[in-house]
Amino acid sequence: MRRVIIDTDTAGDDTQAILLSCLSDRVTVDAITVVAGNVPFDREVENAKYTLEIADSLDVPVYEGARQPLIKEFEHATYIHGEDGLGGDLFPETDIESATGFGPDEIVARCRAAPGEITLLCIGPLTNLALAYAREPDLPDLVDEVWVMGGNVNCEGNVTPAAEFNLWVDPDAAKRVFDAFEVTLVDWGVCLRDAVFGAAEFEMVSTLDTELASFFESVTEQARAFNSEESDDPGWTALPDSVTAALLAYPELREAVSTYHVAVDDREGLTRGYTSVDVNGVTDGDPNTHVVESVDSDAFQSLMYSLLQSRDPDSGIAE
């Protein structure tokens, strides 16, 4: 069973990645660390705790991490996730205490205590991981794996033409992480192709009539509205964080993975957060990033339906 720390800027799809990880028998969630990103920080913290409550996983500690990027200013993505990050209507207040300690320090402490045993699932900007690395230069040797949802491999970004949101928010942190760690990257492009729920998928979800299905419909409502093209179009949503969590836990979903040198542009301006992925090997950079290039989308859908219907994602994976 994989031991995982989830580093998240908890909004809609992050919640599904947390639920999937907590309810899978393939993964043990050791802790959650929260990072600045999707919505105001304190709202992200509450969203993480609320999601753990839904998962009956309140034994998982939530650590508050970086409240802002290393250097640059940024804007939230409430236009995608709603003001509360959960579709616009929930605004949970859990009264659950955050764990004592700073997120990056906790990443370091836990990896030092169990070298080679903990995988980091990073589904937000990479500020916490960059700060952890600054505290412990040996961290790349202490972690098992680092999974990152972010970047756009030779495709259009989702916050600027050049960049995906997570890496755009804190490109300075992302540059440091990709330079130092052997990362497995799940980028926006593969998510947009292989991890999208549209009208047919939401029609299926609407038949499930469960707490998790209703929660899923709620947290994706704002994103679907944003992605709808006509007034009578219910819209669609990509599930990048969910599919990253699924790919970590279920290797059978990985149809194609290639290894390239990846560099992140940390300069301000048009190319802030751009991921330079050297697919042709024309630079002298070491190929040390494993890029997921194809996902078994049917298996991913089946896994998500099982999660939402029976709280058992494992049952959606064929033996």
Side-chain angles (χ1 to χ4, degrees):
M1 185 178 292
R2 305 285 295 274
R3 294 178 60 186
V4 173
I5 295 173
I6 302 176
D7 190 53
T8 175
D9 56 341
T10 331
D13 187 37
D14 303 69
T15 67
Q16 304 307 302
I18 292 169
L19 287 171
L20 191 156
S21 300
C22 287
L23 296 174
S24 171
D25 289 339
R26 305 272 192 101
V27 168
T28 295
V29 180
D30 280 21
I32 289 178
T33 54
V34 180
V35 66
N38 278 322
V39 294
F41 187 85
D42 290 337
R43 177 52 46 207
E44 295 176 348
V45 173
E46 280 300 306
N47 292 347
K49 295 171 183 176
Y50 181 68
T51 305
L52 291 174
E53 204 168 43
I54 293 174
D56 294 325
S57 297
L58 289 178
D59 55 329
V60 177
V62 176
Y63 294 90
E64 298 181 20
R67 288 176 170 264
Q68 59 189 26
L70 295 181
I71 298 170
K72 293 179 174 59
E73 299 294 322
F74 79 107
E75 297 176 1
H76 300 300
T78 53
Y79 59 95
I80 294 288
H81 303 291
E83 292 295 328
D84 64 345
L86 301 179
D89 295 323
L90 291 176
F91 294 95
E93 297 293 341
T94 64
D95 295 323
I96 299 167
E97 292 290 328
S98 296
T100 301
F102 185 47
D105 292 336
E106 192 62 25
I107 291 172
V108 170
R110 288 175 178 262
C111 291
R112 281 175 176 164
E117 295 183 19
I118 294 177
T119 291
L120 305 180
L121 173 59
C122 301
I123 52 176
L126 294 172
T127 318
N128 282 342
L129 182 50
L131 289 171
Y133 174 56
R135 286 157 167 74
E136 174 51 270
D138 291 332
L139 189 59
D141 297 322
L142 296 175
V143 299
D144 181 9
E145 294 182 353
V146 175
W147 282 72
V148 171
M149 187 285 123
N152 46 311
V153 178
N154 299 320
C155 70
E156 184 180 343
N158 62 6
V159 66
T160 74
E164 177 275 334
F165 180 79
N166 286 343
L167 300 196
W168 174 86
V169 167
D170 197 342
D172 304 278
K175 178 176 175 57
R176 297 177 197 190
V177 167
F178 279 88
D179 286 350
F181 290 83
E182 184 177 344
V183 167
T184 300
L185 180 66
V186 182
D187 87 294
W188 175 243
V190 76
C191 297
L192 200 56
R193 190 189 67 208
D194 293 343
V196 169
F197 268 36
E201 290 75 30
F202 275 98
E203 181 66 28
M204 175 64 182
V205 172
S206 70
T207 69
L208 301 180
D209 193 26
T210 66
E211 178 189 24
L212 292 194
S214 296
F215 182 54
F216 177 79
E217 289 179 298
S218 176
V219 300
T220 55
E221 184 175 357
Q222 178 67 27
R224 294 186 74 196
F226 180 82
N227 290 325
S228 65
E229 296 182 359
E230 306 290 344
S231 59
D232 60 347
D233 173 18
W236 55 271
T237 188
L239 302 174
D241 300 330
S242 302
V243 79
T244 303
L247 288 161
L248 186 163
Y250 304 94
E252 53 267 53
L253 266 61
R254 309 170 200 167
E255 287 188 336
V257 182
S258 299
T259 303
Y260 306 115
H261 175 67
V262 175
V264 179
D265 192 341
D266 60 353
R267 297 171 296 181
E268 193 61 274
L270 285 175
T271 57
R272 167 179 167 168
Y274 171 73
T275 39
S276 172
V277 182
D278 186 11
V279 297
N280 294 318
V282 297
T283 70
D284 58 2
D286 291 332
N288 65 343
T289 299
H290 310 295
V291 177
V292 177
E293 296 193 304
S294 182
V295 177
D296 185 338
S297 57
D298 290 339
F300 172 62
Q301 284 184 12
S302 176
L303 183 153
M304 288 298 297
Y305 293 150
S306 296
L307 169 68
L308 300 177
Q309 181 173 35
S310 61
R311 304 172 65 92
D312 180 16
D314 299 344
S315 65
I317 299 296
E319 295 294 334

